[in-house]
Amino acid sequence: MPSLKDLRNRIASVKATQKITKAMQMVAAAKLRRAQLAAEAARPFAERMDRVLANLAESIGPGDGAPALIAGTGKDQTHLLIVATAERGLCGGFNSSIARLAREHIQSLLSQGKTVKIICIGKKGNDALRRLYADMIIEVIDLREVKALTFDVADKIGKKLIAMFEAGEFDVATLFYSRFRSVISQIPTAQQIIPAVIPVRSDEIVADAVYSYEPNEEEILETLLPRNVSVQVFRALLENGASEQGARMSAMDNATRNAGEMIKKQTLLYNRSRQAIITKELIEIISGAEAI
């Protein structure tokens, strides 16, 4: 049985840890609201971009005049996976769920004989994937020095992806991130961004929406398609930011509760041990007095 001093030290250590987890929970809660608003504000813009691209792509048709960012290279051999995770841990299963989805996708591609390349956005994704796929990781993008996530950050990544695509370094690019639903629910998502997957429009939208574009559709697509890549990357980073803070808030709340329960158990054990020592000393005193 541990001594009273050991129990006191253990209780003090758990209380110190509980203060840290409580502080991290409060910080995550303060950041969550701002990150959630940013993610929700980006969704309508990205969805509207998809609808405009769908309308333009339909007017052009699937012929030879379609841009490569829609039509693709005509091959499906080399796949680029952009895995976006957090720079820090202590956020529950947020990072591991994205990495697990990426691993499943990698295994599926490798079983089909495809060539896989990986770009990691965030330290934790690189840590999770390099154990098995270190030779496939071609770049790690570090965002630890980025104080505020702006479109310029995503635009640099988007331009890098387009330059690689135009250089023939890959045929298909898929973006992995976690879509924010609530504090306790984040959905790991895989989204193909190159070539762009044009959503199928509903009959209501087709009937109500009549667009006239100036200049022609080809020229507009030449501008919109590269920007759409950056928009989708920016949306993924914002969704990740909100998901990370929500997962961290939930994880730190659970850690704080567990620390409280542990303190109660250790305090009860300390009191029982102390009472046993006092009782033993009293018995020794009484026994000594009777012997005299």
Side-chain angles (χ1 to χ4, degrees):
M1 180 179 292
S3 64
L4 293 180
K5 183 179 180 181
D6 292 337
L7 291 173
R8 285 197 300 267
N9 292 339
R10 191 177 300 175
I11 292 172
S13 176
V14 175
K15 285 183 177 180
T17 303
Q18 186 184 39
K19 290 180 181 179
I20 295 173
T21 57
K22 183 64 175 179
M24 292 184 66
Q25 177 191 353
M26 296 176 66
V27 171
K31 292 182 178 180
L32 172 62
R33 182 58 179 168
R34 184 168 60 252
Q36 181 178 353
L37 291 176
E40 291 175 349
R43 289 174 185 171
F45 184 81
E47 292 170 358
R48 175 62 66 175
M49 178 75 79
D50 289 339
R51 291 176 60 182
V52 172
L53 290 176
N55 186 273
L56 287 168
E58 183 176 315
S59 62
I60 291 178
D64 297 334
L69 288 174
I70 287 182
T73 61
K75 298 181 295 183
D76 186 28
Q77 178 59 33
T78 305
H79 287 252
L80 177 66
L81 276 56
I82 305 99
V83 183
T85 55
E87 297 288 351
R88 299 173 180 83
L90 297 178
C91 47
F94 167 73
N95 292 311
S96 60
S97 60
I98 299 175
R100 181 168 56 252
L101 180 62
R103 282 195 296 267
E104 293 173 356
H105 198 75
I106 293 170
Q107 289 296 332
S108 175
L109 291 173
L110 293 178
S111 64
Q112 301 173 31
K114 308 295 184 181
T115 301
V116 178
K117 299 180 180 180
I118 304 173
I119 292 180
C120 294
I121 304 177
K123 177 178 179 294
K124 291 301 178 179
N126 178 49
D127 293 343
L129 295 177
R130 69 182 179 183
R131 302 168 188 169
L132 299 176
Y133 312 110
D135 56 333
M136 301 180 187
I137 299 176
I138 61 175
E139 185 176 357
V140 179
I141 299 176
D142 191 345
L143 300 180
R144 282 177 292 183
E145 301 300 327
V146 177
K147 301 300 181 183
L149 187 60
T150 61
F151 181 75
D152 291 337
V153 177
D155 193 37
K156 292 179 181 178
I157 300 174
K159 290 179 179 177
K160 182 188 295 292
L161 297 177
I162 293 173
M164 293 175 62
F165 179 70
E166 293 176 347
E169 297 184 26
F170 65 88
D171 301 316
V172 179
T174 305
L175 179 62
F176 292 84
Y177 64 97
S178 184
R179 184 162 58 88
F180 178 80
R181 175 181 287 178
S182 66
V183 174
I184 60 174
S185 177
Q186 300 86 34
I187 305 173
T189 303
Q191 178 184 356
Q192 180 178 313
I193 57 176
I194 299 177
V197 177
I198 304 302
V200 179
R201 300 186 301 165
S202 63
D203 295 338
E204 292 79 6
I205 295 177
V206 173
D208 296 338
V210 178
Y211 298 98
S212 176
Y213 294 100
E214 181 68 28
N216 57 39
E217 289 84 350
E218 291 82 357
E219 294 182 18
I220 296 177
L221 281 176
E222 288 180 0
T223 302
L224 283 186
L225 285 172
R227 189 171 186 84
N228 179 60
V229 175
S230 299
V231 167
Q232 299 302 331
V233 172
F234 185 48
R235 176 189 182 182
L237 294 179
L238 291 178
E239 293 281 351
N240 258 11
S243 298
E244 177 189 355
Q245 299 304 330
R248 179 170 289 114
M249 178 180 171
S250 179
M252 291 301 101
D253 179 60
N254 291 335
T256 302
R257 294 175 185 273
N258 292 337
E261 294 178 1
M262 188 177 296
I263 290 172
K264 290 180 181 179
K265 292 180 180 178
Q266 294 297 323
T267 302
L268 180 60
L269 179 60
Y270 172 80
N271 291 334
R272 286 178 177 176
S273 299
R274 182 170 175 270
Q275 185 63 44
I277 292 175
I278 294 174
T279 303
K280 181 180 177 181
E281 291 177 352
L282 289 175
I283 293 175
E284 291 176 352
I285 293 172
I286 294 173
S287 300
E290 290 180 352
I292 296 174

